[in-house]
Amino acid sequence: MFDSRHIRTFHEVVKTGSYSAAARSLGYTQPAITQQMKALERAVGTPLFLRVGRRMRLTEAGETLVRHADVILGSLSAAQQQLTALTRLRTGRVRVCAFPSANATLVPEALSRLATGHPGVRVELLEDEPPESLRRLVRGECDLTLAFTYPGLHDEVPDEVVEILLMEDQLTVLLPTGHPLARRRSVKITDLAGERWIAGCLRCRANLLHECAELGFAPDVAFATDDNLVVQSLVAEGLGVAMVPALVLSFMCHKKVTGRPLDPASRRRVCAYVLREHLRIPATALVLDELRAVAANKVGC
């Protein structure tokens, strides 16, 4: 195995023509240059220079190494420049996997902030619901995951994963605008015990069933869909009511739908998850910081 410092010194000796000239160029002493060249020759296993009078001539091995030295030093320089760009956040790639309402709200705002301050950092966006999004993180398919949990339905987090709370997202009820309860400032779930319900993703559906069971009734789930826009459309047409997070209200598309907070308040936790060792990667840490900043300004945080 060659020492890159020895290769660099060898290159300078060849360029300047002598150990003493290389020493002056590199700021070393001549004995230091001599020692480095002896160490390199031991690593090669054969002499690299022959002395012809006062001049130095390359051996066949030396000529072979010269042909590769430029490539080796060029590759090292390119690697150093790329690593410097990564650590100084001029470049970098971060794969973010988030659930749909986060991808529609938190993520775009965070990426906009990132593009302004660090345009060289590239973010690849994936979408999945928990707990599958957390599994993708552990499998190495993404670098940072946004997921949510509900009280009483919290998953175990693997030891190698760090959970970082971003915000608490208040749950709301979506009602057709003409619904009698739409005139209230807040709504109790028990007031909706006789309604038909539109359930969301598996985790949201489980929370709906859990909260209703805690209050002594089982909701009549008429429809279930992972698509927030479909939920809104079904509510708008009077086909049921729905429990959704406040994040969804920021991209509500139907004028015939009214959102009302629950009384008493119920919230879900929105968290970022990252492998512990990835917290030390500058680009990943930067994306996490931008997500924190955006989440701090959202409703329910």
Side-chain angles (χ1 to χ4, degrees):
M1 181 69 68
F2 298 155
D3 189 318
S4 61
R5 295 171 300 170
H6 297 166
I7 297 293
R8 197 177 301 279
T9 300
F10 170 76
H11 184 267
E12 196 64 25
V13 170
V14 173
K15 187 173 73 172
T16 59
S18 70
Y19 285 4
S20 57
R24 288 193 298 271
S25 174
L26 296 172
Y28 294 159
T29 63
Q30 185 170 330
I33 298 293
T34 302
Q35 290 302 316
Q36 286 194 43
M37 291 304 91
K38 286 182 178 179
L40 182 58
E41 287 179 335
R42 285 195 298 272
V44 172
T46 187
L48 297 172
F49 299 99
L50 293 174
R51 284 198 172 275
V52 181
R54 294 185 176 181
R55 299 182 60 191
M56 296 177 63
R57 183 168 63 83
L58 287 166
T59 64
E60 184 177 359
E63 290 175 349
T64 300
L65 188 56
V66 164
R67 290 195 293 271
H68 292 282
D70 284 337
V71 175
I72 293 169
L73 294 175
S75 296
L76 286 172
S77 177
Q80 185 175 15
Q81 290 174 13
Q82 290 176 23
L83 289 170
T84 299
L86 285 170
T87 56
R88 293 182 181 176
L89 292 171
R90 291 198 296 268
T91 64
R93 181 188 73 151
V94 182
R95 298 165 300 166
V96 175
C97 183
F99 54 95
S101 56
N103 270 342
T105 53
L106 300 177
V107 174
E109 211 173 315
L111 297 192
S112 176
R113 291 166 57 99
L114 184 70
T116 300
H118 301 276
V121 176
R122 176 184 175 86
V123 175
E124 295 179 6
L125 192 57
L126 309 170
E127 186 167 285
D128 219 330
E129 299 277 4
E132 181 57 28
S133 56
L134 212 56
R135 297 190 189 110
R136 296 183 73 169
L137 176 70
V138 174
R139 290 197 300 263
E141 296 174 13
C142 59
D143 306 304
L144 191 153
T145 288
L146 294 186
F148 57 87
T149 61
Y150 289 103
L153 300 173
H154 190 72
D155 292 327
E156 288 295 324
V157 178
D159 290 340
E160 67 271 28
V161 174
V162 178
E163 179 185 72
I164 299 143
L165 177 64
L166 295 180
M167 62 179 291
E168 291 191 345
D169 193 13
Q170 184 166 328
L171 299 183
T172 62
V173 174
L174 294 188
L175 305 163
T177 300
H179 194 286
L181 296 179
R183 294 191 294 271
R184 296 186 183 179
R185 298 185 65 177
S186 61
V187 176
K188 298 181 184 296
I189 297 181
T190 50
D191 291 338
L192 299 167
E195 300 282 345
R196 292 194 303 173
W197 286 82
I198 299 147
C201 70
L202 287 174
R203 179 162 289 195
C204 295
R205 200 176 315 162
N207 179 66
L208 171 65
L209 296 175
H210 173 76
E211 292 212 20
C212 292
E214 289 286 299
L215 295 170
F217 75 96
D220 175 14
V221 178
F223 304 97
T225 173
D226 293 349
D227 192 321
N228 286 307
L229 294 179
V230 174
V231 171
Q232 293 176 41
S233 296
L234 292 170
V235 173
E237 295 303 322
L239 297 172
V241 299
M243 183 190 297
V244 300
L247 279 178
V248 173
L249 299 183
S250 64
F251 57 93
M252 190 134 73
C253 300
H254 288 281
K255 294 180 180 179
K256 295 192 294 182
V257 175
T258 299
R260 290 290 179 262
L262 289 173
D263 178 23
S266 181
R267 294 179 174 85
R268 67 175 183 176
R269 288 164 46 92
V270 176
C271 298
Y273 298 86
V274 62
L275 294 177
R276 198 174 303 278
E277 60 188 21
H278 285 187
L279 284 172
R280 298 163 54 196
I281 298 175
T284 302
L286 179 65
V287 173
L288 180 57
D289 286 344
E290 297 295 4
L291 286 166
R292 277 190 181 120
V294 171
N297 293 320
K298 292 296 180 185
V299 174
C301 183

